[in-house]
Amino acid sequence: METIKLVYPVEGGDMIEAGEASSKMKLTLKKLGLPQDVIRRASICMYEGEINMVIHADGGEAEVEVDMDRIVLRMTDTGPGIPDVEQAMQEGYSTAGPTARELGFGAGMGLPNMKRYSDEMTIETEVGKGTVVTVVIKIPQ
Ligand SMILES: Nc1ncnc2c1ncn2[C@@H]1O[C@H](COP(=O)(O)OP(=O)(O)O)[C@@H](O)[C@H]1O
Ligand SMILES: [Mg+2]
């Protein structure tokens, strides 16, 4: 299988449409015939990353690379950045505002769940510049 690359723009400020990129990616991964557990874990990671870009960074872009043995999700934004990544990774820690919370976001479980459901996760971030979250999901052979 050749490497497949997908790119999804994620609109900022649209908490109602949030989740669209992960739904679209899920459909494509199903069509590729990938294992169900791999699709489920990739979709959770994509959903959480997408929501974070919407509620914390005014949108961004999600790139998906599917290889024989792994899926790489790269979520890039030019938002405020994360001042303390270790703190942000704590379960329950959230800086979500009241509007996001009214819509049910802000449980502070997004980053911890991305860590849990991926095989590798890295966060590159700079305050005032933006954030790149990369997760790798291995495809069992
Ligand atoms: N892309 C991002 N840009 C800026 N801050 C982020 C981003 N993603 C996460 N964060 C910060 O990390 C915190 C924890 O994220 P997360 O675990 O997904 O919880 P939640 O989204 O429910 O707040 C967020 O509240 C926010 O402060
Ligand atoms: Mg989140």
Side-chain angles (χ1 to χ4, degrees), residues 6-8 19-47 50 62 64 66 71 73 137:
L6 311 163
V7 182
Y8 301 99
E20 215 186 332
S22 70
S23 309
K24 284 184 181 162
M25 180 195 70
K26 194 175 189 175
L27 272 180
T28 303
L29 297 182
K30 275 187 189 165
K31 285 183 191 155
L32 292 172
L34 293 170
Q36 217 162 19
D37 182 61
V38 168
I39 297 175
R40 189 179 69 93
R41 294 194 294 130
S43 301
I44 291 169
C45 291
M46 176 69 127
Y47 179 78
E50 184 182 356
V64 184
V66 187
I71 299 175
L73 308 179
I137 290 133

Side-chain angles (χ1 to χ4, degrees), residues 73-121:
L73 308 179
R74 191 175 300 108
M75 285 151 287
T76 305
D77 67 61
T78 52
I82 304 174
D84 186 340
V85 172
E86 206 181 310
Q87 182 182 44
M89 288 298 300
Q90 304 280 319
E91 295 189 3
Y93 177 81
S94 177
T95 59
T99 316
R101 286 176 194 270
E102 268 167 33
L103 291 166
F105 301 114
M109 291 304 294
L111 293 178
N113 278 333
M114 290 168 84
K115 176 92 185 159
R116 176 172 170 210
Y117 289 109
S118 64
D119 293 297
E120 287 166 40
M121 174 171 167

